[in-house]
Amino acid sequence: MKQHKLIVLLLLLMSIGCGERVDLLVHNAQVYTVNDNFDKVSAFAVKNGKFVAVGGEELLEKYKPANTVDAQGLSIYPGFIDAHSHLLELGLNQFKADLKNSLGMNHVVQKLKEHQQIHNHNFIMGIGWDQNQWKDNSYPNNKALNIAFPKTPVVLKRVDGHAYLVNNKAIEMAMINENTKIEGGQIIRKKGKLTGLFIDNAMDLINGIIPEFSREQKVNAYQAAQELCFENGLTTVTEAGLSKENIYLLDSLQKSDLLKIRVYAMIENDRKSIDHFMDSGILKTAQLNVRSVKIYADGALGSRGAALKSDYSDQKGHRGSLLLSKDSLKQIASLLAKNSFQLNTHAIGDAANQMVLEAYNGVLDSIEDPRWRIEHAQVMSPEDFQMFNDKIIPSVQPLHATSDMNWAVKRIGIQRLKGAYAYKDLLDWSGLLALGTDFPVEEINPFQTFYAAVSRKPPGAWSSQAPFQEKNALSRYEALLGITKWAAYASFEENEKGSIEVGKYADFVILDQDIMRVAIDRVIDTKIVATILNGKIVFSNRL
């Protein structure tokens, strides 16, 4: 407890040594540098927000620091990086009803009513329902919503973000009827009647009626989300799809010092936003990097929107949907390659992954270092793994594997499951993996990501469940690289972050236990003692 208080409260002693002046010197630590040799040291010095020396206790004699921290043996790691997340959405969720862990439609309605008692919205939004966790895991309908909220529009987003359940008032406002059609999505009907369920591209029919959040709400959302990130040791996050307007809002908040977290922002697949950045070029500051575009090849497995090569095992005659054609994919791939932008494509099903890999390899042959990414790369046919190479990076989320393990076999069967969530196989073909959470779809905690990648078990379940396809588990070394150096590389930022090395940003975290050595089942109990960005404290866990 005493050593924690010493670090957390950062009782920095004035140095009485001589030598070169620096802002901060940390020593007596277990420092995982995550450099090329994976060196472990005990000390480092920071000046002007960057590491200027990394080594042993001899640094105490070499430098004259303004502040000194005796870490008393605690573990220090590079600041963690989430390679696939939704920062703004995480913050905006405070204005929506939280439907995670709901037990069925009656429970959903109860949660909505409780939310309304507090907020009294004239347009009700909720997020996080998942019928796979209910006793009846068939698709829900909107009957209960129509009874509870006959005059107030209700739009509820599924946990994976690929389906809406809406009431009849919302359908009426969107001017949708039984004859409405959409390409690349599904409007679920039963006996010809609308059920209120809209999947993938069909969600666009509803998006037009959802009220815009105000600038003030977005600013509040970004700041609230940032605090959660810092509390969890994240110093850089990847925004997986933002409009031009939200990118520039983010930039303005960073420049005015209202937002400190570093962001790698993907441009959403909106023609206006893409055209703007194709004309203006890459946007790069110390805190923001905009040089990629996020597109969707298909939907999600949980809502049966993932595009498969053969029928879903639990829905004969249905294979999901491709959300764009091969020609459209090739067109945007050629545009981005021409302008030196990275393409990051959401692909879940084996049909979608095959299409994306073929398109990538067709375009990238003559490009030396594109680092194009496939986001999720969730279900792969055995013959398609070989299309990965050092130009194509799998960006995966280990928590998806452990969240889906109890129902994925129902969707795709045992045989196809062998090529699903196959992180070790993907690593063998590509050479590296970028690891993320997809928060707020999954928990923001990077220790849960680390644990899921290594143990292949969901948090809290080690005593009752066997590892999910254990042969595809990552080593601790690989998992750590995935949330540090490899994640930085996937964003063209390996020369400025992702490891504790001279010349890189002084972003690091102090932990209360060593995740590389503690029993794997204890990793998820790890606490952040302090999060440091640019050599300055942005979070401390005061005990």
Side-chain angles (χ1 to χ4, degrees):
M1 182 69 74
K2 288 183 179 179
Q3 69 177 13
H4 290 177
K5 286 183 178 179
L6 176 66
I7 298 298
V8 175
L9 298 176
L10 293 176
L11 301 177
L12 305 177
L13 304 176
M14 295 304 295
S15 172
I16 58 174
C18 59
E20 180 184 339
R21 292 182 180 276
V22 292
D23 300 320
L24 173 67
L25 193 147
V26 178
H27 74 108
N28 191 20
Q30 300 291 323
V31 182
Y32 287 87
T33 64
V34 196
N35 63 10
D36 288 343
N37 297 321
F38 211 71
D39 290 328
K40 194 174 176 183
V41 301
S42 67
F44 55 78
V46 175
K47 186 175 182 178
N48 297 328
K50 292 186 177 182
F51 297 112
V52 294
V54 178
E57 298 304 295
E58 73 278 359
L59 298 185
L60 286 167
E61 302 298 325
K62 184 176 181 181
Y63 293 97
K64 184 176 182 180
N67 298 293
T68 301
V69 173
D70 180 350
Q72 297 196 6
L74 288 181
S75 297
I76 295 179
Y77 289 83
F80 297 133
I81 301 171
D82 195 307
H84 184 111
S85 63
H86 303 274
L87 186 71
L88 179 58
E89 184 176 350
L90 175 68
L92 290 174
N93 280 354
Q94 65 185 297
F95 304 113
K96 306 171 187 177
D98 182 3
L99 305 179
K100 278 188 177 181
N101 303 316
S102 56
L103 304 176
M105 279 308 299
N106 288 338
H107 195 197
V108 165
V109 169
Q110 177 187 331
K111 283 174 171 279
L112 293 174
K113 287 181 176 178
E114 291 171 355
H115 180 80
Q116 276 297 87
Q117 286 179 352
I118 298 171
H119 300 282
N120 193 29
H121 293 309
N122 57 16
F123 194 109
I124 302 172
M125 299 184 69
I127 189 166
W129 62 271
D130 182 2
Q131 85 282 1
N132 291 317
Q133 308 301 326
W134 301 349
K135 185 176 181 180
D136 177 7
N137 53 34
S138 58
Y139 274 145
N141 60 53
N142 66 2
K143 290 180 180 178
L145 298 181
N146 294 332
I147 294 170
F149 307 101
K151 296 181 180 180
T152 306
V154 180
V155 176
L156 310 179
K157 184 182 285 188
R158 193 179 182 277
V159 65
D160 57 16
H162 286 267
Y164 283 148
L165 180 65
V166 310
N167 67 349
N168 283 351
K169 181 62 178 178
I171 292 173
E172 174 190 327
M173 290 175 63
M175 295 185 288
I176 299 168
N177 59 46
E178 286 81 358
N179 299 317
T180 302
K181 296 181 180 180
I182 190 76
E183 289 187 15
Q186 300 175 68
I187 302 172
I188 304 299
R189 300 174 176 85
K190 191 170 184 179
K191 295 181 180 180
K193 300 294 184 182
L194 297 174
T195 64
L197 198 63
F198 297 80
I199 298 173
D200 291 320
N201 284 0
M203 298 165 68
D204 290 340
L205 300 171
I206 301 297
N207 286 337
I209 67 166
I210 297 176
E212 281 283 330
F213 287 100
S214 67
R215 187 185 189 280
E216 182 182 358
Q217 287 174 317
K218 289 179 181 179
V219 171
N220 179 279
Y222 268 132
Q223 292 178 321
Q226 172 183 256
E227 293 311 305
L228 288 173
C229 289
F230 288 157
E231 288 173 17
N232 284 278
L234 295 172
T235 53
T236 296
V237 296
T238 300
E239 267 279 26
L242 282 179
S243 67
K244 173 175 70 77
E245 289 76 18
N246 286 330
I247 287 172
Y248 280 112
L249 172 60
L250 176 60
D251 185 40
S252 70
L253 295 177
Q254 290 173 328
K255 287 177 177 176
S256 60
D257 208 30
L258 293 174
L259 210 62
K260 301 180 186 298
I261 194 165
R262 304 191 202 278
V263 179
Y264 186 76
M266 304 179 194
I267 307 158
E268 69 180 15
N269 189 14
D270 163 67
R271 194 71 211 188
K272 179 183 174 185
S273 296
I274 293 174
D275 286 347
H276 170 81
F277 284 102
M278 292 307 101
D279 290 338
S280 63
I282 293 168
L283 171 59
K284 180 72 173 75
T285 71
Q287 292 172 282
L288 179 63
N289 194 354
V290 183
R291 59 172 302 159
S292 66
V293 172
K294 162 79 177 299
I295 67 172
Y296 289 87
D298 66 345
L301 199 62
S303 51
R304 298 187 186 86
L308 301 179
K309 294 181 179 181
S310 56
D311 293 353
Y312 275 80
S313 297
D314 59 355
Q315 189 174 346
K316 298 303 179 184
H318 178 67
R319 298 186 178 187
S321 303
L322 289 169
L323 302 184
L324 77 171
S325 67
K326 289 183 181 179
D327 287 342
S328 296
L329 176 56
K330 290 178 181 177
Q331 185 179 25
I332 191 169
S334 297
L335 174 67
L336 297 187
K338 180 181 176 181
N339 288 277
S340 300
F341 269 71
Q342 181 190 53
L343 179 55
N344 302 327
T345 306
H346 164 116
I348 299 287
D350 51 10
N353 276 291
Q354 180 188 41
M355 181 181 74
V356 175
L357 284 165
E358 289 175 348
Y360 277 19
N361 281 298
V363 170
L364 299 181
D365 213 25
S366 60
I367 301 177
E368 186 175 342
D369 187 25
R371 308 188 197 185
W372 284 16
R373 296 160 54 159
I374 297 186
E375 305 297 324
H376 313 306
Q378 207 165 91
V379 183
M380 301 287 302
S381 297
E383 66 273 13
D384 292 337
F385 282 97
Q386 62 187 330
M387 287 193 282
F388 276 98
N389 50 59
D390 61 4
K391 293 185 177 183
I392 303 173
I393 300 171
S395 171
V396 299
Q397 301 74 44
L399 281 168
H400 284 344
T402 56
S403 292
D404 300 356
M405 62 186 289
N406 290 324
W407 56 262
V409 67
K410 298 177 184 177
R411 292 284 190 272
I412 58 177
I414 293 176
Q415 194 58 38
R416 281 183 292 191
L417 195 65
K418 294 177 181 178
Y421 315 94
Y423 304 141
K424 187 66 171 180
D425 291 339
L426 289 168
L427 175 59
D428 289 343
W429 282 102
S430 66
L432 59 85
L433 297 174
L435 302 186
T437 60
D438 204 10
F439 72 69
V441 175
E442 302 285 0
E443 293 298 321
I444 191 174
N445 188 336
F447 303 123
Q448 291 196 19
T449 295
F450 185 96
Y451 173 77
V454 175
S455 74
R456 301 285 286 191
K457 294 186 288 187
W462 55 84
S463 61
S464 60
Q465 290 182 273
F468 176 56
Q469 301 187 165
E470 191 172 12
K471 76 180 186 71
N472 267 300
L474 302 179
S475 69
R476 296 196 200 205
Y477 168 77
E478 292 160 347
L480 179 59
L481 283 168
I483 57 174
T484 55
K485 196 170 187 176
W486 286 348
Y489 178 88
S491 301
F492 297 88
E493 297 178 328
E494 75 279 9
N495 291 325
E496 56 191 68
K497 63 180 70 165
S499 61
I500 295 176
E501 297 182 83
V502 172
K504 293 190 177 183
Y505 294 126
D507 299 348
F508 60 95
V509 291
I510 304 173
L511 310 185
D512 71 343
Q513 61 180 0
D514 188 346
I515 61 173
M516 298 298 284
R517 299 179 65 183
V518 72
I520 191 61
D521 290 341
R522 290 181 54 201
V523 164
I524 56 175
D525 298 324
T526 306
K527 299 293 189 296
I528 300 292
V529 175
T531 303
I532 291 85
L533 186 79
N534 272 336
K536 298 179 180 179
I537 310 160
V538 290
F539 170 76
S540 63
N541 183 9
R542 298 177 184 273
L543 300 178

